[in-house]
Coordinates of all heavy atoms in Angstrom, one line a residue:
M1 N 85.6 105.7 118.0 CA 86.2 104.8 117.0 C 86.9 105.7 115.9 O 88.0 105.4 115.5 CB 85.2 103.9 116.3 CG 85.9 102.9 115.4 SD 84.7 102.1 114.3 CE 83.8 101.0 115.4
G2 N 86.1 106.7 115.5 CA 86.7 107.6 114.4 C 88.0 108.3 114.9 O 88.9 108.4 114.1
R3 N 88.0 108.8 116.1 CA 89.2 109.5 116.6 C 90.4 108.5 116.7 O 91.5 108.8 116.3 CB 88.9 110.0 118.0 CG 90.0 110.8 118.6 CD 89.7 111.3 120.0 NE 90.9 111.6 120.7 CZ 91.5 112.8 120.7 NH1 90.9 113.8 120.1 NH2 92.6 113.0 121.3
R4 N 90.1 107.3 117.1 CA 91.2 106.3 117.2 C 91.7 106.0 115.8 O 93.0 105.9 115.6 CB 90.6 105.0 117.8 CG 91.7 104.0 118.2 CD 91.1 102.9 119.2 NE 89.8 102.5 119.0 CZ 89.4 101.6 118.0 NH1 90.3 101.1 117.2 NH2 88.2 101.3 117.9
I5 N 90.9 105.8 114.8 CA 91.4 105.5 113.5 C 92.1 106.8 112.9 O 93.2 106.6 112.3 CB 90.2 105.2 112.5 CG1 89.6 103.8 113.0 CG2 90.6 105.1 111.1 CD1 88.3 103.5 112.3
F6 N 91.6 108.0 113.2 CA 92.3 109.2 112.7 C 93.7 109.2 113.3 O 94.7 109.5 112.6 CB 91.5 110.4 113.1 CG 92.1 111.7 112.4 CD1 91.7 112.0 111.1 CD2 93.0 112.4 113.1 CE1 92.3 113.2 110.5 CE2 93.6 113.6 112.5 CZ 93.2 113.9 111.2
E7 N 93.8 108.9 114.6 CA 95.1 109.0 115.3 C 96.1 108.0 114.6 O 97.2 108.3 114.4 CB 94.9 108.6 116.8 CG 96.1 108.6 117.6 CD 95.9 108.4 119.1 OE1 94.8 107.8 119.4 OE2 96.7 108.9 119.9
G8 N 95.6 106.8 114.4 CA 96.5 105.8 113.8 C 96.8 105.9 112.4 O 97.9 105.5 111.9
A9 N 95.8 106.3 111.6 CA 95.9 106.2 110.1 C 96.0 107.6 109.4 O 96.4 107.6 108.2 CB 94.8 105.4 109.5
C10 N 95.7 108.6 110.0 CA 95.5 109.9 109.3 C 96.4 111.0 109.8 O 96.9 111.9 109.1 CB 94.1 110.4 109.3 SG 92.8 109.1 109.1
A11 N 96.5 111.1 111.2 CA 97.2 112.3 111.8 C 98.6 112.4 111.4 O 99.1 113.6 111.3 CB 97.0 112.2 113.3
S12 N 99.3 111.3 111.1 CA 100.7 111.5 110.7 C 100.9 112.3 109.4 O 101.8 113.0 109.3 CB 101.3 110.1 110.5 OG 100.6 109.4 109.4
C13 N 100.0 112.3 108.5 CA 100.0 113.1 107.3 C 99.2 114.4 107.4 O 99.6 115.4 106.9 CB 99.5 112.3 106.1 SG 100.7 111.0 105.6
H14 N 98.1 114.3 108.0 CA 97.2 115.4 108.0 C 97.3 116.3 109.3 O 96.8 117.4 109.3 CB 95.7 115.0 107.9 CG 95.5 114.5 106.5 ND1 95.4 115.3 105.4 CD2 95.3 113.2 106.0 CE1 95.2 114.6 104.3 NE2 95.1 113.3 104.6
Q15 N 98.0 115.8 110.3 CA 98.1 116.5 111.6 C 96.8 116.7 112.3 O 95.8 116.8 111.7 CB 98.9 117.8 111.4 CG 100.2 117.7 110.6 CD 101.0 119.0 110.6 OE1 101.8 119.2 111.4 NE2 100.7 119.8 109.6
W16 N 96.9 116.8 113.6 CA 95.6 117.0 114.4 C 94.9 118.2 114.0 O 93.6 118.3 114.1 CB 95.9 117.0 115.9 CG 96.2 115.6 116.4 CD1 97.4 115.1 116.9 CD2 95.2 114.6 116.6 NE1 97.2 113.8 117.3 CE2 95.9 113.5 117.1 CE3 93.9 114.4 116.3 CZ2 95.3 112.3 117.4 CZ3 93.2 113.2 116.6 CH2 94.0 112.2 117.1
N17 N 95.6 119.3 113.6 CA 94.9 120.5 113.3 C 94.4 120.6 111.8 O 93.8 121.6 111.4 CB 95.7 121.8 113.6 CG 97.0 121.8 112.8 OD1 97.2 121.0 111.9 ND2 97.9 122.7 113.1
G18 N 94.7 119.5 111.1 CA 94.2 119.4 109.7 C 95.0 120.3 108.7 O 94.6 120.5 107.6
N19 N 96.2 120.7 109.1 CA 97.0 121.5 108.2 C 97.7 120.7 107.0 O 97.9 121.3 106.0 CB 98.1 122.3 108.9 CG 97.6 123.6 109.5 OD1 96.5 124.0 109.1 ND2 98.3 124.1 110.5
G20 N 97.9 119.5 107.3 CA 98.6 118.7 106.2 C 100.1 118.8 106.3 O 100.6 119.9 106.3
Q21 N 100.7 117.7 106.3 CA 102.2 117.6 106.5 C 103.0 117.8 105.1 O 103.9 118.5 105.1 CB 102.5 116.2 107.0 CG 103.9 116.0 107.6 CD 103.9 116.4 109.1 OE1 104.2 117.6 109.4 NE2 103.5 115.5 110.0
Q22 N 102.5 117.1 104.1 CA 103.3 117.1 102.8 C 103.2 118.3 102.0 O 104.1 118.9 101.6 CB 102.9 115.9 101.9 CG 103.0 114.5 102.6 CD 102.5 113.4 101.6 OE1 102.5 113.6 100.4 NE2 102.0 112.3 102.2
T23 N 101.9 118.8 101.8 CA 101.7 119.9 101.0 C 100.3 120.5 101.5 O 99.6 119.9 102.1 CB 101.5 119.6 99.5 OG1 100.1 119.2 99.3 CG2 102.4 118.5 99.0
S24 N 100.1 121.7 101.0 CA 98.8 122.4 101.4 C 97.6 121.6 100.7 O 96.5 121.7 101.1 CB 98.8 123.8 100.9 OG 99.0 123.9 99.6
Y25 N 97.9 120.8 99.7 CA 96.9 120.0 99.1 C 96.3 119.0 100.1 O 95.2 118.6 99.9 CB 97.4 119.2 97.9 CG 97.7 120.1 96.7 CD1 99.0 120.4 96.3 CD2 96.7 120.7 95.9 CE1 99.3 121.2 95.3 CE2 96.9 121.5 94.8 CZ 98.3 121.7 94.5 OH 98.6 122.5 93.5
A26 N 97.1 118.6 101.1 CA 96.7 117.7 102.1 C 96.0 118.3 103.2 O 95.7 117.7 104.2 CB 97.8 116.8 102.5
A27 N 95.7 119.6 103.2 CA 95.1 120.3 104.3 C 93.6 119.9 104.3 O 92.9 119.9 103.3 CB 95.2 121.8 104.1
L28 N 93.2 119.5 105.5 CA 91.7 119.1 105.7 C 91.0 120.4 106.2 O 89.8 120.5 105.9 CB 91.6 118.0 106.7 CG 92.3 116.7 106.4 CD1 92.0 115.7 107.5 CD2 91.9 116.2 105.0
A29 N 91.7 121.2 107.0 CA 91.0 122.4 107.5 C 90.5 123.3 106.4 O 91.3 123.6 105.5 CB 92.0 123.2 108.4
G30 N 89.2 123.6 106.4 CA 88.7 124.5 105.4 C 88.4 123.8 104.1 O 87.8 124.4 103.2
S31 N 88.7 122.5 104.0 CA 88.5 121.9 102.7 C 87.0 121.6 102.5 O 86.2 121.3 103.4 CB 89.2 120.5 102.7 OG 88.5 119.5 102.0
Q32 N 86.6 121.8 101.2 CA 85.2 121.5 100.8 C 84.8 120.1 101.2 O 83.7 119.8 101.7 CB 85.1 121.7 99.3 CG 84.0 121.0 98.6 CD 82.7 121.8 98.7 OE1 82.7 123.0 98.7 NE2 81.6 121.1 98.8
T33 N 85.8 119.2 101.0 CA 85.5 117.7 101.2 C 85.1 117.4 102.6 O 84.2 116.6 102.8 CB 86.8 116.9 100.8 OG1 87.2 117.2 99.5 CG2 86.6 115.5 101.0
V34 N 85.7 118.1 103.6 CA 85.4 117.8 105.0 C 84.3 118.7 105.5 O 83.9 118.6 106.7 CB 86.6 117.7 105.9 CG1 87.6 116.7 105.4 CG2 87.3 119.1 106.0
N35 N 83.9 119.6 104.7 CA 82.8 120.5 105.1 C 81.4 120.1 104.4 O 80.5 120.8 104.6 CB 83.1 122.0 104.8 CG 84.1 122.5 105.9 OD1 83.8 122.7 107.0 ND2 85.3 122.7 105.5
D36 N 81.5 119.0 103.7 CA 80.3 118.5 103.1 C 79.7 117.4 104.0 O 80.3 116.3 104.1 CB 80.6 118.0 101.7 CG 79.4 117.2 101.1 OD1 78.3 117.3 101.6 OD2 79.7 116.5 100.1
P37 N 78.6 117.7 104.7 CA 78.0 116.7 105.6 C 77.6 115.4 104.9 O 77.5 114.3 105.6 CB 76.8 117.4 106.2 CG 76.6 118.6 105.5 CD 77.8 118.9 104.6
T38 N 77.5 115.3 103.6 CA 77.1 114.1 103.0 C 78.4 113.2 102.8 O 78.3 112.0 102.6 CB 76.5 114.3 101.6 OG1 77.5 114.8 100.7 CG2 75.3 115.2 101.6
G39 N 79.6 113.8 102.9 CA 80.8 113.0 102.9 C 81.1 112.3 101.5 O 81.9 111.4 101.5
T40 N 80.5 112.8 100.5 CA 80.7 112.1 99.2 C 82.1 112.0 98.7 O 82.7 110.9 98.4 CB 79.8 112.8 98.1 OG1 78.5 112.9 98.6 CG2 79.8 112.0 96.8
N41 N 82.8 113.2 98.6 CA 84.2 113.2 98.2 C 85.1 112.5 99.2 O 86.1 111.8 98.9 CB 84.7 114.6 98.0 CG 84.2 115.2 96.7 OD1 83.8 114.5 95.8 ND2 84.3 116.5 96.7
L42 N 84.7 112.6 100.5 CA 85.5 112.1 101.6 C 85.6 110.6 101.5 O 86.7 110.0 101.5 CB 85.0 112.5 102.9 CG 85.6 112.1 104.2 CD1 87.1 112.4 104.2 CD2 84.9 112.7 105.4
I43 N 84.4 109.9 101.3 CA 84.4 108.5 101.2 C 85.2 108.0 99.9 O 85.9 107.1 100.0 CB 82.9 108.0 101.2 CG1 82.3 108.1 102.5 CG2 82.9 106.5 100.7 CD1 82.9 107.2 103.6
Q44 N 85.0 108.8 98.9 CA 85.7 108.5 97.6 C 87.2 108.4 97.8 O 87.9 107.5 97.4 CB 85.3 109.5 96.6 CG 85.9 109.2 95.2 CD 85.3 107.9 94.6 OE1 84.2 107.5 95.0 NE2 86.0 107.2 93.8
I45 N 87.8 109.5 98.5 CA 89.2 109.5 98.6 C 89.7 108.4 99.6 O 90.8 107.9 99.5 CB 89.8 110.9 99.0 CG1 91.3 111.0 98.7 CG2 89.4 111.3 100.4 CD1 91.8 112.4 98.8
L46 N 88.9 108.1 100.6 CA 89.2 107.0 101.5 C 89.3 105.7 100.8 O 90.1 104.8 101.1 CB 88.3 107.0 102.7 CG 88.4 108.1 103.7 CD1 87.3 108.0 104.8 CD2 89.8 108.3 104.3
L47 N 88.3 105.5 99.9 CA 88.3 104.2 99.2 C 89.4 104.0 98.2 O 90.0 103.0 98.1 CB 86.9 104.0 98.5 CG 85.7 103.8 99.4 CD1 84.5 103.8 98.6 CD2 85.8 102.6 100.2
T48 N 89.7 105.1 97.5 CA 90.7 105.0 96.4 C 92.0 105.6 96.6 O 93.0 105.4 95.9 CB 90.1 105.6 95.1 OG1 89.8 107.0 95.3 CG2 88.8 104.9 94.7
G49 N 92.2 106.5 97.6 CA 93.4 107.2 97.9 C 93.6 108.3 96.8 O 92.7 108.6 96.1
A50 N 94.8 108.8 96.8 CA 95.1 109.9 95.9 C 96.6 109.9 95.5 O 97.4 109.5 96.3 CB 94.7 111.3 96.5
D51 N 96.9 110.2 94.3 CA 98.3 110.3 93.8 C 98.4 111.5 93.0 O 98.1 111.5 91.8 CB 98.6 109.0 93.1 CG 100.1 108.9 92.9 OD1 100.9 109.8 93.3 OD2 100.5 107.9 92.3
L52 N 98.7 112.6 93.6 CA 98.8 113.9 93.0 C 100.1 114.2 92.4 O 101.1 114.1 93.1 CB 98.4 115.0 94.0 CG 98.5 116.5 93.5 CD1 97.4 116.8 92.5 CD2 98.5 117.4 94.7
A53 N 100.2 114.5 91.1 CA 101.5 114.9 90.5 C 101.2 116.1 89.7 O 100.5 116.1 88.7 CB 102.0 113.8 89.6
S54 N 101.7 117.3 90.2 CA 101.4 118.5 89.6 C 102.7 119.4 89.7 O 103.1 119.8 90.8 CB 100.2 119.2 90.3 OG 100.1 120.6 89.9
G55 N 103.3 119.7 88.6 CA 104.6 120.4 88.7 C 105.6 119.7 89.5 O 105.8 118.5 89.3
K56 N 106.2 120.3 90.5 CA 107.2 119.7 91.3 C 106.5 119.0 92.5 O 107.2 118.3 93.3 CB 108.1 120.7 91.9 CG 109.0 121.4 90.8 CD 110.2 122.0 91.5 CE 111.2 122.6 90.5 NZ 111.0 124.1 90.2
V57 N 105.2 119.1 92.7 CA 104.5 118.5 93.8 C 104.2 117.0 93.5 O 103.6 116.7 92.5 CB 103.2 119.3 94.1 CG1 102.4 118.6 95.2 CG2 103.5 120.7 94.5
R58 N 104.5 116.2 94.4 CA 104.1 114.8 94.4 C 103.6 114.5 95.7 O 104.3 114.5 96.7 CB 105.3 113.9 94.0 CG 105.0 112.4 93.8 CD 104.4 112.3 92.4 NE 103.6 111.1 92.2 CZ 104.0 109.9 91.9 NH1 105.3 109.8 91.6 NH2 103.2 108.9 91.8
A59 N 102.3 114.2 95.8 CA 101.7 113.9 97.1 C 100.8 112.7 97.0 O 100.0 112.5 96.1 CB 100.8 115.1 97.5
Y60 N 101.1 111.7 97.9 CA 100.4 110.4 97.8 C 99.6 110.2 99.1 O 100.1 110.4 100.2 CB 101.5 109.4 97.6 CG 100.9 108.0 97.7 CD1 100.2 107.5 96.6 CD2 101.1 107.1 98.8 CE1 99.7 106.2 96.7 CE2 100.6 105.9 98.8 CZ 99.9 105.4 97.8 OH 99.3 104.1 97.8
M61 N 98.4 109.6 98.9 CA 97.6 109.1 100.0 C 97.2 107.7 99.7 O 96.6 107.5 98.6 CB 96.4 110.0 100.3 CG 95.4 109.4 101.3 SD 94.2 110.6 101.8 CE 92.9 109.5 102.3
P62 N 97.5 106.8 100.6 CA 97.1 105.4 100.3 C 95.6 105.2 100.3 O 94.9 105.9 101.0 CB 97.8 104.6 101.4 CG 97.9 105.6 102.5 CD 98.1 106.9 101.9
P63 N 95.1 104.2 99.6 CA 93.6 103.9 99.7 C 93.4 103.1 101.0 O 94.2 102.3 101.5 CB 93.4 103.0 98.5 CG 94.7 102.4 98.2 CD 95.7 103.3 98.6
F64 N 92.2 103.3 101.6 CA 91.9 102.6 102.9 C 90.7 101.6 102.8 O 90.3 101.0 103.7 CB 91.6 103.6 104.0 CG 92.8 104.4 104.4 CD1 93.1 105.6 103.8 CD2 93.6 104.0 105.4 CE1 94.2 106.3 104.2 CE2 94.7 104.7 105.8 CZ 95.0 105.9 105.2
G65 N 90.2 101.5 101.5 CA 89.0 100.7 101.3 C 89.2 99.2 101.7 O 88.2 98.6 102.1
K66 N 90.4 98.7 101.6 CA 90.6 97.3 101.9 C 90.9 97.1 103.4 O 90.7 96.0 104.0 CB 91.7 96.7 101.0 CG 91.2 96.5 99.6 CD 92.1 95.5 98.9 CE 91.5 95.1 97.5 NZ 91.6 96.2 96.5
A67 N 91.5 98.1 104.0 CA 92.0 98.0 105.4 C 90.9 98.1 106.4 O 91.1 97.6 107.5 CB 93.1 99.0 105.6
Y68 N 89.8 98.9 106.1 CA 88.8 99.2 107.1 C 87.4 98.7 106.6 O 87.2 98.7 105.4 CB 88.8 100.7 107.4 CG 90.0 101.1 108.1 CD1 91.0 101.8 107.5 CD2 90.2 100.8 109.5 CE1 92.2 102.2 108.2 CE2 91.3 101.2 110.2 CZ 92.3 101.9 109.5 OH 93.4 102.3 110.2
S69 N 86.6 98.4 107.5 CA 85.2 98.1 107.2 C 84.4 99.3 106.9 O 84.9 100.4 107.2 CB 84.6 97.4 108.4 OG 84.4 98.3 109.5
A70 N 83.2 99.1 106.4 CA 82.3 100.3 106.1 C 82.0 101.1 107.4 O 82.0 102.3 107.4 CB 81.1 99.8 105.4
E71 N 81.8 100.3 108.5 CA 81.5 101.0 109.7 C 82.7 101.9 110.2 O 82.5 103.0 110.7 CB 81.2 99.9 110.8 CG 80.7 100.5 112.1 CD 80.6 99.5 113.2 OE1 81.0 98.3 113.0 OE2 80.1 99.8 114.3
E72 N 83.9 101.3 110.0 CA 85.1 102.1 110.4 C 85.3 103.3 109.5 O 85.7 104.4 110.0 CB 86.4 101.2 110.4 CG 86.3 100.1 111.5 CD 87.4 99.1 111.3 OE1 87.7 98.6 110.2 OE2 88.0 98.6 112.3
L73 N 85.1 103.2 108.2 CA 85.3 104.3 107.3 C 84.2 105.4 107.6 O 84.5 106.6 107.6 CB 85.1 103.8 105.9 CG 86.3 102.9 105.4 CD1 86.0 102.4 103.9 CD2 87.6 103.7 105.4
A74 N 83.0 104.9 108.0 CA 82.0 105.9 108.4 C 82.3 106.6 109.6 O 82.2 107.8 109.8 CB 80.6 105.2 108.5
A75 N 82.9 105.9 110.6 CA 83.3 106.5 111.9 C 84.4 107.6 111.7 O 84.3 108.7 112.2 CB 83.8 105.4 112.9
V76 N 85.4 107.2 110.9 CA 86.5 108.2 110.7 C 86.0 109.4 109.8 O 86.4 110.5 110.1 CB 87.8 107.5 110.1 CG1 87.7 107.2 108.6 CG2 89.0 108.4 110.4
S77 N 85.1 109.1 108.9 CA 84.5 110.2 108.1 C 83.7 111.2 109.0 O 83.9 112.4 108.9 CB 83.6 109.6 107.0 OG 84.3 108.9 106.1
N78 N 82.9 110.6 109.9 CA 82.1 111.5 110.8 C 83.1 112.3 111.7 O 82.8 113.4 112.0 CB 81.2 110.6 111.6 CG 79.9 110.2 110.8 OD1 79.5 110.9 109.9 ND2 79.4 109.0 111.2
Y79 N 84.1 111.6 112.2 CA 85.1 112.3 113.0 C 85.7 113.5 112.3 O 85.8 114.6 112.8 CB 86.2 111.4 113.5 CG 87.2 112.1 114.3 CD1 86.9 112.5 115.6 CD2 88.5 112.4 113.8 CE1 87.8 113.2 116.4 CE2 89.4 113.1 114.6 CZ 89.1 113.5 115.9 OH 90.0 114.2 116.6
V80 N 86.1 113.3 111.0 CA 86.8 114.3 110.3 C 85.8 115.5 109.9 O 86.2 116.6 110.0 CB 87.4 113.7 109.0 CG1 87.8 114.8 108.0 CG2 88.7 112.9 109.3
I81 N 84.6 115.1 109.6 CA 83.6 116.1 109.3 C 83.3 116.9 110.5 O 83.2 118.2 110.5 CB 82.3 115.5 108.7 CG1 82.6 115.0 107.2 CG2 81.1 116.5 108.6 CD1 81.5 114.1 106.6
Ligands
HEC1 C1 100.7 109.1 103.6 C2 100.1 110.3 104.0 C3 98.5 110.3 104.1 C4 97.8 109.5 104.9 C5 98.2 108.4 105.9 C6 96.4 110.0 104.8 N1 96.4 111.0 103.9 FE1 94.7 112.0 103.3 N2 95.8 113.0 101.9 C7 97.2 113.0 101.7 C8 97.6 113.8 100.7 C9 99.0 114.1 100.2 C10 96.4 114.4 100.1 C11 96.3 115.4 99.0 C12 96.0 114.6 97.7 C13 95.5 115.4 96.5 O1 95.3 116.6 96.7 O2 95.4 114.8 95.4 C14 95.3 113.9 101.0 C15 94.0 114.3 100.8 C16 93.0 114.0 101.7 C17 91.6 114.5 101.6 C18 91.1 115.5 100.6 C19 91.5 116.9 101.0 C20 90.8 117.9 100.1 O3 91.4 119.0 100.0 O4 89.8 117.7 99.5 C21 91.0 114.0 102.7 C22 89.5 114.3 103.1 C23 91.8 113.1 103.4 N3 93.1 113.1 102.7 C24 91.5 112.3 104.5 C25 92.3 111.4 105.1 C26 91.9 110.5 106.1 C27 90.5 110.5 106.8 C28 93.0 109.7 106.4 C29 93.0 108.5 107.4 C30 92.1 107.4 107.2 C31 94.0 110.0 105.5 N4 93.6 111.1 104.7 C32 95.3 109.5 105.5 C33 98.0 112.2 102.5 C34 97.6 111.2 103.4

């Protein structure tokens, strides 16, 4: 289930290898967030999304808290970790 959700909702921006499409800020590979087995930051960003504006960089990630159930968010989190 986690892989299926990642394919449909995450890979377009984060790519299968986790490099991140928009900016290096969107890189999952090597990120503290996805290397924390408790998933605290990961769940937080999935629930609320992110809107980063720093210098010339503008990077947006939509929130997923309303689109997915707790079980689905847990599945995609486990997949990413
Ligand atoms: C529209 C593009 C987009 C989609 C779709 C998207 N993200 Fe993101 N994501 C981003 C961007 C851009 C950032 C960087 C935001 C920041 O640094 O403030 C980010 C940041 C993250 C981070 C934090 C990375 C770090 O360095 O701590 C995680 C984890 C993450 N996304 C997971 C996901 C997952 C899982 C999905 C699918 C459910 C998803 N994202 C869907 C664009 C996207």
Side-chain angles (χ1 to χ4, degrees):
M1 186 197 287
R3 184 184 160 90
R4 191 163 38 76
I5 293 171
F6 188 86
E7 181 174 25
C10 320
S12 59
C13 287
H14 289 289
Q15 308 187 92
W16 282 110
N17 63 8
N19 275 344
Q21 195 87 267
Q22 300 176 29
T23 85
S24 58
Y25 290 106
L28 300 183
S31 144
Q32 159 80 36
T33 303
V34 300
N35 284 288
D36 172 12
T38 68
T40 307
N41 284 340
L42 179 55
I43 288 292
Q44 186 63 30
I45 197 168
L46 289 180
L47 292 175
T48 60
D51 194 356
L52 171 74
S54 167
K56 292 198 178 98
V57 177
R58 188 77 202 270
Y60 175 74
M61 172 169 155
F64 291 92
K66 291 201 167 73
Y68 291 103
S69 68
E71 190 190 3
E72 289 169 323
L73 292 175
V76 75
S77 296
N78 283 329
Y79 178 74
V80 164
I81 288 169

